[in-house]
Amino acid sequence: AGIGAAADGQSSGAIAKAREALGAGRNEAALSAARVALEADPSSTEARLIAARALIRLRRHHDAVEELRRAVQADPLTPTVHLDLGFAAAQVGDFGSARASWEHFQRLAPLSPEIPRVRAALETLTRLTHLLEAHTDG
């Protein structure tokens, strides 16, 4: 139990540092601390979310999408992971993943205060898809 407890302590300390750095806009430091937390606890959803948010702020959108996909695989029931993955996927033009993530978020958290924003994103995505199809069809 000693090793596990040490890893838990290292992970939670690193998560606290990552959260603080992200809040202060120190994105590289937040990413580094989140990576330390993930070394100690690879299943940490919070560390993956912080890492992804730091990556997004660093304009490393593809890396953020990959981080969030790993988070969804490890923890498919946390709504925030799907919310963030939807917006990150939209940033890189993966509209199918964005739609699926937002729809999943709606099912997991139907009473979330984020629902109006997600509905607006889905409506916008639908309009964009129709415009693209109309352009392609001539």
Side-chain angles (χ1 to χ4, degrees):
I3 293 173
D8 286 349
Q10 182 182 3
S11 177
S12 55
I15 287 173
K17 283 183 187 173
R19 196 181 309 117
E20 179 184 327
L22 192 67
R26 296 190 332 269
N27 302 316
E28 291 284 355
L31 180 58
S32 294
R35 295 272 189 244
V36 169
L38 286 166
E39 285 176 25
D41 179 9
S43 67
S44 172
T45 299
E46 185 173 7
R48 289 215 185 272
L49 279 168
I50 292 170
R53 288 173 181 171
L55 287 163
I56 288 167
R57 290 180 179 184
L58 293 166
R59 305 271 188 254
R60 292 172 54 189
H61 299 288
H62 288 280
D63 293 336
V65 168
E66 289 310 310
E67 195 68 61
L68 290 163
R69 284 195 172 123
R70 285 191 287 275
V72 165
Q73 288 172 348
D75 181 5
L77 298 179
T78 297
T80 307
V81 176
H82 296 280
L83 177 69
D84 284 16
L85 178 55
F87 283 101
Q91 284 279 350
V92 300
D94 185 351
F95 300 134
S97 291
R99 178 179 302 284
S101 295
W102 288 327
E103 288 172 350
H104 204 75
F105 173 79
Q106 286 182 307
R107 285 191 298 277
L108 288 172
L111 302 177
S112 168
E114 293 289 342
I115 289 294
R117 191 163 67 108
V118 169
R119 282 192 184 127
L122 283 164
E123 290 168 11
T124 301
L125 185 56
T126 298
R127 284 196 308 275
L128 176 60
T129 302
H130 289 154
L131 283 168
L132 294 171
E133 288 168 359
H135 179 76
T136 305
D137 292 343

